[in-house]
Amino acid sequence: MEEGVEGDRAVVDRVRREVLRRQAPSDPIVAAWLDDDANVARFLRAEGGVEHAHKAVKRLVSMLAWMKEERPHELVCPACFKLSGGVLEASAAGHYMHVVTYDLMDRPTIYSCLELAANKDIDDNRKHLISTFETAIGLMPPGVEQWNWVLDMHGFRLVDCDPRLAKIFLSLAGERYPERLGNFWVVDAPGIFSTLWACVERFIDPVTKEKIKFVKTTDAKNGEQVGVDSTRPDPTVDATAAMASSYSRNRSSPTDAHSRSPSFATRSSFARR
């Protein structure tokens, strides 16, 4: 383990023992999750380190209860996949949010586009968020603990101004997936988005807020369009082909969008570029 929280194995073990004393998981998958030092250490970091170990214990106990009820490792978005004859089949009337590439730090990078998201149901969107985050975690190479998210606001409309989904994301990121978010790019946010941003901004903790960057595909940079030609809203992102292709296709011919979305079967076999 590394220095800091990760380096203090005794603290990690002590926190885990206290969690087990309060709520020993019966599910072997949940038990294995708790047995992973990196998961315990991440919750310790989120609470500010060793001095706040008691808070990490409380959050981990809550996390185990949530995992037992929600079963995120098994969750499949009901709007994107339907069970037919015992086989999961992709649905066209769903969402457009999935892992598309890795950055230079080997972090999975999620891309979503509002223009192509047909389903606006709040709970369906919550389940899709969880499913996508779990997919990103499953695609992380050893030693990597974070993902990036590129939120393409192309197609943002009044119906998207519901602050509940933003609050759900903030709750998931803070309570269930702490320390997982690397960078969050909001691409081409329209003026109407300022109303929603004003509603949710005050609920964002300072650490998460620092990771949110607003960029435009039309911002000139060395004669190129940021996010379209150079596709570098941040120098750590090595996603030129994937991002350029997504931005341009989703603005020119979005009608076949869901035929381009990865199927459930291929998500687990996603190849690193």
Side-chain angles (χ1 to χ4, degrees):
M1 300 179 74
E2 300 175 2
E3 295 182 0
V5 170
E6 292 86 343
D8 198 335
R9 179 65 179 269
V11 175
V12 170
D13 285 341
R14 186 170 73 248
V15 167
R16 181 165 36 236
R17 286 196 302 270
E18 179 60 22
V19 172
L20 288 170
R21 187 186 69 80
R22 298 188 186 188
Q23 182 173 309
S26 56
D27 187 310
I29 294 179
V30 178
W33 182 91
L34 181 62
D35 196 49
D36 188 336
D37 290 348
N39 289 328
V40 178
R42 195 168 55 254
F43 275 71
L44 271 166
R45 288 199 307 272
E47 286 296 349
V50 177
E51 302 82 8
H52 303 284
H54 63 289
K55 294 182 179 180
V57 169
K58 184 177 180 180
R59 286 182 65 175
L60 282 164
V61 169
S62 174
M63 179 66 175
L64 296 185
W66 178 78
M67 291 181 72
K68 179 180 179 180
E69 179 180 356
E70 192 74 64
R71 302 193 67 77
H73 48 283
E74 298 176 353
L75 189 62
V76 176
C77 176
C80 294
F81 299 95
K82 304 296 183 184
L83 190 62
S84 177
V87 178
L88 281 174
E89 296 181 350
S91 170
H95 306 101
Y96 196 81
M97 175 185 183
H98 46 265
V99 177
V100 295
T101 191
Y102 288 81
D103 71 5
L104 294 177
M105 298 170 66
D106 271 347
R107 296 177 297 191
T109 297
I110 297 165
Y111 172 75
S112 61
C113 181
L114 291 178
E115 174 69 20
L116 310 178
N119 183 287
K120 304 297 182 180
D121 181 83
I122 294 297
D123 196 55
D124 283 351
N125 275 270
R126 181 187 66 84
K127 291 176 179 177
H128 191 90
L129 281 172
I130 295 170
S131 177
T132 303
F133 294 161
E134 290 292 321
T135 297
I137 292 170
L139 294 171
M140 291 175 181
V144 174
E145 294 190 86
Q146 293 185 318
W147 64 66
N148 301 311
W149 184 359
V150 178
L151 172 56
D152 189 348
M153 300 290 284
H154 176 62
F156 184 89
R157 298 175 177 86
L158 278 174
V159 69
D160 298 304
C161 284
D162 191 333
R164 289 178 296 173
L165 185 58
K167 291 180 180 179
I168 286 172
F169 162 68
L170 293 174
S171 176
L172 287 172
E175 297 299 320
R176 308 308 175 198
Y177 299 97
E179 302 288 302
R180 286 296 195 188
L181 182 64
N183 287 298
F184 191 147
W185 294 284
V186 181
V187 181
D188 286 352
I192 192 175
F193 176 72
S194 60
T195 302
L196 176 60
W197 180 248
C199 291
V200 301
E201 184 179 13
R202 63 181 182 273
F203 297 107
I204 305 175
D205 72 84
V207 174
T208 300
K209 193 172 181 179
E210 280 292 314
K211 298 177 180 181
I212 301 175
K213 304 174 179 66
F214 290 86
V215 296
K216 292 277 188 182
T217 55
T218 53
D219 286 345
K221 183 178 181 182
N222 298 324
E224 298 177 328
Q225 287 183 308
V226 176
V228 175
D229 297 327
S230 66
T231 63
R232 292 297 185 91
D234 184 278
T236 64
V237 175
D238 185 19
T240 304
M243 290 293 96
S245 177
S246 295
Y247 292 150
S248 60
R249 285 185 308 181
N250 296 342
R251 283 158 175 72
S252 59
S253 56
T255 54
D256 63 334
H258 288 278
S259 66
R260 302 192 301 266
S261 181
S263 68
F264 178 79
T266 60
R267 289 190 302 169
S268 61
S269 58
F270 179 80
R272 291 171 59 200
R273 290 175 171 80

